[in-house]
Amino acid sequence: MKFFIDTANLNEIKEAHDLGVLDGVTTNPSLMAKEGIKGADNIRAHYKAICNIVDNNVSAEVISTDFETIIKEGRELAKIDDKIVVKVPMIKDGVKAIKKFSSENIRTNCTLVFSAGQAILAAKAGASYVSPFIGRLDDVGTDGLELIAQIVNIYNNYGYATEVLAASVRHTMHLIQCAELGADVATCPLNVIIGLLKHPLTDSGLEKFLADYKKVNG
């Protein structure tokens, strides 16, 4: 499973990268706004700064909703760096744009996916990644993990090349369950990745080892 970090914060991205397990970054307009990044030039410069940290797979989201403008904006984003994956919403013109980008060898991430039907459309259009938002489904009383299982099963049935990118991952059990279900990627905040390190028996075991060493060696 690939680990992406869901943030626009450069320090968090560097920390995750330095840990040695980071495969990419996902961002969106909300995350950019959270970091105070505004204006087209500043946003593009920030994407470039992210690309300079990570090895690959930086999802940069379009803000347009009509086909022609999505294409124009997506092409501009793709020019920033070869690591850019153009993030496109699951809407009618978005699906059309994904098909067009696919024909131009521009990688895409179809975002805001909440059903297996939407995931099928994204795969048929040639999306590189499909992003089901499991946490947001949980918020409205629907099992987000069941959607991951559905999509993985459907994609395996037909050999779709689109990778399942579990998004809106809220905690470590979300991430582990996505891995069990066969999601190709999980994107999550830094604290979720760091959370995988932690176990009370690891802490107590290390404390005992060090205490025993000190007892004998002073």
Side-chain angles (χ1 to χ4, degrees):
M1 173 187 262
K2 295 175 188 173
F3 283 5
F4 291 0
I5 185 172
D6 195 35
T7 185
N9 184 285
L10 297 182
N11 289 330
E12 290 181 354
I13 294 168
K14 286 175 185 172
E15 184 175 348
H17 182 265
D18 289 347
L19 188 60
V21 299
L22 188 65
D23 300 292
V25 175
T26 55
T27 64
N28 58 47
S30 297
L31 292 171
M32 282 288 189
K34 184 179 177 183
E35 297 304 315
I37 311 300
K38 57 184 179 179
D41 290 342
N42 289 332
I43 289 171
R44 279 193 284 271
H46 199 75
Y47 280 134
K48 184 61 179 177
I50 293 172
C51 289
N52 289 340
I53 298 170
V54 301
D55 298 327
N56 203 348
N57 302 306
V58 177
S59 283
E61 187 163 347
V62 300
I63 57 170
S64 309
T65 56
D66 66 280
F67 175 77
E68 296 296 338
T69 319
I70 291 172
I71 294 298
K72 180 183 177 184
E73 189 180 349
R75 285 171 177 162
E76 289 174 355
L77 289 171
K79 287 177 185 175
I80 294 171
D81 196 283
D82 289 342
K83 299 171 186 176
I84 292 289
V85 179
V86 179
K87 202 172 182 184
V88 181
M90 169 42 72
I91 55 177
K92 186 176 179 180
D93 278 13
V95 172
K96 288 168 62 178
I98 287 168
K99 184 66 174 178
K100 179 65 173 172
F101 287 137
S102 179
S103 72
E104 298 177 1
N105 294 317
I106 293 174
R107 292 182 296 164
T108 54
N109 176 358
C110 185
T111 190
L112 293 171
V113 169
F114 294 97
S115 75
Q118 290 177 326
I120 292 170
L121 289 175
K124 287 187 67 65
S128 308
Y129 300 96
V130 63
S131 290
F133 278 47
I134 61 175
R136 293 195 193 185
L137 283 169
D138 288 354
D139 290 344
V140 296
T142 303
D143 188 349
L145 290 165
E146 176 58 30
L147 178 59
I148 297 294
Q150 273 188 303
I151 298 172
V152 168
N153 184 50
I154 291 167
Y155 283 12
N156 286 341
N157 282 346
Y158 297 101
Y160 289 131
T162 303
E163 295 188 49
V164 180
L165 194 167
S168 190
V169 171
R170 301 278 176 77
H171 46 73
T172 55
M173 282 310 300
H174 259 169
L175 195 155
I176 290 167
Q177 288 166 317
C178 286
E180 289 178 327
L181 292 169
D184 300 288
V185 190
T187 187
C188 55
L190 177 63
N191 69 292
V192 175
I193 296 174
I194 297 298
L196 294 175
L197 290 166
K198 300 187 180 301
H199 194 285
L201 292 178
T202 301
D203 296 339
S204 61
L206 181 59
E207 185 179 353
K208 185 177 188 315
F209 291 159
L210 294 176
D212 289 343
Y213 177 86
K214 188 175 181 181
K215 232 183 266 181
V216 174
N217 296 278

